[in-house]
Amino acid sequence: MNTPAQDYIKALYDSSTEPFVLGLTGFTGVGSSTTKEILRAEIKPDLPGYKAIHTARKSRQITRMDERVYKRLRYRWESTDWHAFVSIEISKIIFAFFLRALLNGSIPKDPRNKGIQGKLDDEEESLVGLKHFTPTQRSLTLAQATELIEAYEASKRIYTHFKEKYGKKELGDFIELLQDLGDQIRRFGKAIDPNKPPKIDPTQIFVLPRAMSQLIQAYEQVHQQRNFVIDAIKNPFEVEFLRRHYSKFYLIAILRDGVTRETTLLRKLDLESRKKIEKREKAEVFSKGQSLREHITSQDLDECLTKADMFIYNQESESRGFEHLRFGVIKMIALAQRPGCVTPTQDERCMQLAMTVRLGSGCISRQVGAIVIDKERRVIGVGWNDPPKGQVPCALRTCEELGNDATPEVFSSFERRQEFMAKIQSLPQQREPFCFRTQYGILREAKAAEYTRALHAEENALFQASRNVTTALLDSTLYTTASTCTLCAKKAYQLGVARIVYIDEYYDIAIPQTLQAGSRHETLRIERFSGIIGQAYHKLYTPPMPEKSIIDLFYREASALP
């Protein structure tokens, strides 16, 4: 039986009546399904040992405080109540829309759909809820909620029945079908006959997250469930919808090294299918600038990763116990239930600082931040991508200004050439800024990557660090929100950086070609970031009342006892 003090503390931390929703994102094969199964387990997951999580770290100089954070987390996890999470799977919801279209006869038969009609007949009674399903409906009666759950569970059974029977090529076709269906639903609000497409309706772009919300409402109503995991979110705008809809929504990004992920995928898919899936997930099937509609309504995993509240790097282990996945979700749950129960790790503190300073960037394409700390863990360099000192960032210049008031302080002599000015004056949004690198590339029909106006964030941070110390940056750590390009990697290597931690992956050969070479190829450590970041950093690490006040409350209660 709880004491009055314990009851007050419980009420303080459990004041929200909203559901606790964890979204999972990541490229196919990273381990999202495994993470979902950890959360769905009826038995409370065990917290992995400290050594199992930090085996890659060799320097106690870096991790001694993190070890104490880990011990505090273990103490809190032991007293944390466990309630299994209900799984809401986006691929199954998309498939349910597809089944509804088949039931209603609104799409023709397709060779890829062979055999589904028989299963529809078998599950006809359970699928009644699909015929009347309206994602825009704000509230459900108990009968509607029950029917919706039954229909969703039946759709999952049909989905699993066919997916398990597919070979590598057929499975690739099935995934491509689901990707096409997902795009259709975001554009039209339903699965359609591609030969007779209706008019695109922009108001339908959030039909899928509304369907997720309706399912969550149904499980709350029928089964009094409070914890939900959404697997797997691949459209960045759906992340923003869910974040606005639920105050206790957090997005977890699962990362994995490319070689392991490809090996895993090729066990299930043929090479051609894997390439097509990845191209779709990276939003490489269209040009973002030329096809905004497709960009908004399709998959874009790189953009989803930028919106993550937590990153978990799914590393392989001999035990095959998925220690890093378990540790990550346990930490998220413990902090969500009791914000501030542990302090941030060194990596989280430094990466959060990098995330904050990147907002100073005037780049209109991609904002990147970087931090350098020395071996004593002191910040010695801070940087973000911006033009050299004395030059105006792209975000603060406009096309119109170049045409009407092109001063040397704002625009280079090259930009003031007639040919380039004519190109900029032909752009439709004259009061908006322009990207020099992009426009120069179009003009010269080349990528012109080296012609970006900005110094990279890592360059600025390393230059500042070099001015702040009298010796080389030996044993320093570089934190960057995006992995280093080849040019920055060479500078970091030359200056003696011992460890590089990054979030987003920059797709070039800097790591294997520049960093994993020479006499330091075994000692220079390159790691993907794992931890809590962004808005969630403040939300999860800020307690509602100071720890000392809680301790004092128990002391006063104890001293009042006879």
Side-chain angles (χ1 to χ4, degrees):
M1 182 177 178
N2 287 347
T3 66
Q6 288 172 322
D7 288 337
Y8 270 108
I9 298 303
K10 189 175 189 306
L12 181 67
Y13 280 93
D14 194 26
S15 59
S16 174
T17 58
E18 286 194 21
F20 176 32
V21 184
L22 294 179
L24 304 179
T25 190
F27 289 94
T28 301
V30 295
S32 293
S33 296
T34 304
T35 308
K36 173 196 68 181
E37 293 305 319
I38 292 170
L39 290 163
R40 289 183 64 229
E42 293 297 329
I43 300 173
K44 182 178 177 180
D46 291 329
L47 183 69
Y50 179 79
K51 290 184 178 178
I53 302 303
H54 297 283
T55 50
R57 306 226 181 139
K58 300 174 183 177
S59 173
R60 293 193 58 81
Q61 180 76 24
I62 291 176
T63 60
R64 65 180 187 273
M65 289 300 140
D66 291 352
E67 190 166 3
R68 289 189 173 273
V69 170
Y70 169 85
K71 289 178 180 178
R72 189 69 175 166
L73 180 64
R74 176 173 287 281
Y75 165 70
R76 288 300 178 196
W77 184 242
E78 289 170 354
S79 60
T80 298
D81 295 332
W82 173 255
H83 301 284
F85 284 67
V86 175
S87 169
I88 306 293
E89 299 176 58
I90 297 178
S91 59
K92 310 298 195 303
I93 292 176
I94 291 172
F95 190 69
F97 272 87
F98 170 63
L99 293 182
R100 183 176 69 164
L102 284 176
L103 286 168
N104 295 338
S106 57
I107 59 174
K109 292 183 178 180
D110 187 298
R112 294 182 292 185
N113 310 342
K114 59 184 179 182
I116 286 181
Q117 189 61 51
K119 292 300 292 182
L120 281 176
D121 295 339
D122 294 342
E123 297 278 6
E124 184 176 3
E125 191 173 325
S126 298
L127 291 169
V128 169
L130 287 183
K131 293 182 178 180
H132 314 294
F133 174 52
T134 308
T136 54
Q137 189 173 341
R138 288 179 176 264
S139 60
L140 302 170
T141 65
L142 183 61
Q144 288 173 326
T146 303
E147 279 190 351
L148 180 59
I149 291 172
E150 287 180 357
Y152 173 63
E153 295 295 337
S155 299
K156 286 168 65 176
R157 289 194 294 272
I158 299 173
Y159 177 101
T160 303
H161 172 81
F162 285 98
K163 188 176 179 181
E164 289 177 347
K165 291 180 178 294
Y166 288 143
K168 287 186 175 184
K169 181 66 173 67
E170 289 176 311
L171 181 58
D173 291 341
F174 182 64
I175 293 173
E176 186 179 5
L177 170 65
L178 291 173
Q179 289 174 326
D180 290 339
L181 288 167
D183 292 357
Q184 287 177 14
I185 293 164
R186 295 183 189 101
R187 290 168 197 169
F188 307 103
K190 59 185 178 181
I192 63 159
D193 180 351
N195 298 315
K196 301 176 182 178
K199 184 178 179 181
I200 287 177
D201 183 357
T203 65
Q204 300 297 330
I205 60 174
F206 293 126
V207 163
L208 284 173
R210 285 195 180 104
M212 300 172 215
S213 296
Q214 210 164 74
L215 266 174
I216 288 172
Q217 181 190 345
Y219 278 105
E220 283 187 282
Q221 203 167 334
V222 176
H223 299 298
Q224 290 73 54
Q225 298 284 355
R226 304 292 298 161
N227 294 346
F228 298 88
V229 53
I230 299 176
D231 176 38
I233 301 172
K234 299 190 176 184
N235 178 281
F237 305 101
E238 290 168 359
V239 174
E240 295 304 324
F241 178 95
L242 292 165
R243 188 165 277 151
R244 290 194 300 267
H245 203 76
Y246 298 106
S247 64
K248 292 179 68 175
F249 169 81
Y250 299 98
L251 182 67
I252 298 177
I254 313 297
L255 307 173
R256 202 176 196 180
D257 78 86
V259 174
T260 304
R261 186 166 69 86
E262 182 160 348
T263 301
T264 302
L265 285 177
L266 289 178
R267 294 192 193 112
K268 302 176 182 179
L269 297 166
D270 64 345
L271 184 60
E272 182 184 357
S273 296
R274 184 200 65 75
K275 288 180 177 179
K276 288 170 70 175
I277 290 168
E278 183 143 324
K279 188 174 182 180
R280 189 76 164 261
E281 290 182 336
K282 287 182 178 178
E284 292 177 350
V285 293
F286 53 80
S287 167
K288 291 182 184 178
Q290 297 174 353
S291 191
L292 182 62
R293 181 183 67 197
E294 283 77 4
H295 169 50
I296 291 174
T297 57
S298 192
Q299 298 181 354
D300 189 342
L301 267 294
D302 285 328
E303 192 62 29
C304 284
L305 292 177
T306 67
K307 298 179 181 295
D309 297 301
M310 183 181 202
F311 291 89
I312 304 175
Y313 184 37
N314 180 15
Q315 298 183 48
E316 299 298 303
S317 68
E318 293 181 3
S319 67
R320 301 287 297 167
F322 302 105
E323 288 87 355
H324 291 85
L325 295 179
R326 282 192 289 126
F327 178 81
V329 297
I330 285 171
K331 182 175 178 178
M332 170 60 81
I333 294 167
L335 281 165
Q337 291 195 15
R338 186 151 178 169
C341 66
V342 296
T343 56
T345 64
Q346 173 194 292
D347 281 359
E348 288 172 323
R349 293 191 299 270
C350 293
M351 193 60 79
Q352 180 69 9
L353 184 54
M355 290 282 285
T356 301
V357 302
R358 74 174 180 172
L359 299 178
S361 169
C363 180
I364 63 173
S365 177
R366 187 185 200 190
Q367 293 177 308
V368 180
I371 300 294
V372 180
I373 64 171
D374 65 14
K375 61 183 179 182
E376 300 298 331
R377 300 193 297 175
R378 296 172 299 198
V379 175
I380 56 173
V382 177
W384 54 89
N385 53 322
D386 237 8
K389 186 177 180 179
Q391 296 186 15
V392 179
C394 290
L396 302 179
R397 315 182 312 168
T398 67
C399 302
E400 184 180 63
E401 188 179 3
L402 176 60
N404 298 336
D405 187 25
T407 63
E409 289 77 15
V410 181
F411 298 97
S412 69
S413 60
F414 182 90
E415 290 170 318
R416 288 181 282 120
R417 289 182 181 180
Q418 189 59 42
E419 181 188 21
F420 190 80
M421 288 181 68
K423 173 74 181 77
I424 299 304
Q425 288 171 341
S426 69
L427 298 177
Q429 300 291 330
Q430 284 294 297
R431 300 187 69 179
E432 298 297 330
F434 65 90
C435 174
F436 173 79
R437 171 185 163 180
T438 299
Q439 298 307 325
Y440 179 77
I442 295 171
L443 193 67
R444 291 287 184 259
E445 298 183 349
K447 287 187 176 181
E450 68 270 30
Y451 294 112
T452 179
R453 296 182 63 238
L455 288 156
H456 287 191
E458 304 96 308
E459 289 179 304
N460 278 326
L462 290 168
F463 288 155
Q464 187 182 102
S466 298
R467 291 195 297 269
N468 287 340
V469 295
T470 57
T471 60
L473 278 68
L474 296 175
D475 296 326
S476 63
T477 299
L478 170 64
Y479 292 90
T480 174
T481 57
S483 62
T484 57
C485 68
T486 299
L487 293 173
C488 292
K490 287 187 284 190
K491 295 179 179 69
Y493 193 104
Q494 180 76 355
L495 289 167
V497 172
R499 182 170 175 248
I500 298 174
V501 183
Y502 67 95
I503 298 178
D504 301 338
E505 194 159 17
Y506 184 83
Y507 301 109
D508 77 352
I509 61 171
I511 292 176
Q513 170 62 15
T514 304
L515 298 176
Q516 295 176 337
S519 59
R520 298 174 56 217
H521 75 281
E522 291 184 345
T523 56
L524 198 161
R525 303 198 305 281
I526 304 105
E527 300 175 17
R528 293 296 291 267
F529 172 76
S530 288
I532 291 164
I533 205 75
Q535 298 176 18
Y537 181 90
H538 295 283
K539 193 173 178 180
L540 294 173
Y541 281 122
T542 304
M545 71 184 295
E547 188 78 10
K548 183 177 183 298
S549 299
I550 295 174
I551 295 169
D552 287 348
L553 183 62
F554 285 113
Y555 282 161
R556 291 193 189 102
E557 184 177 75
S559 63
L561 294 175

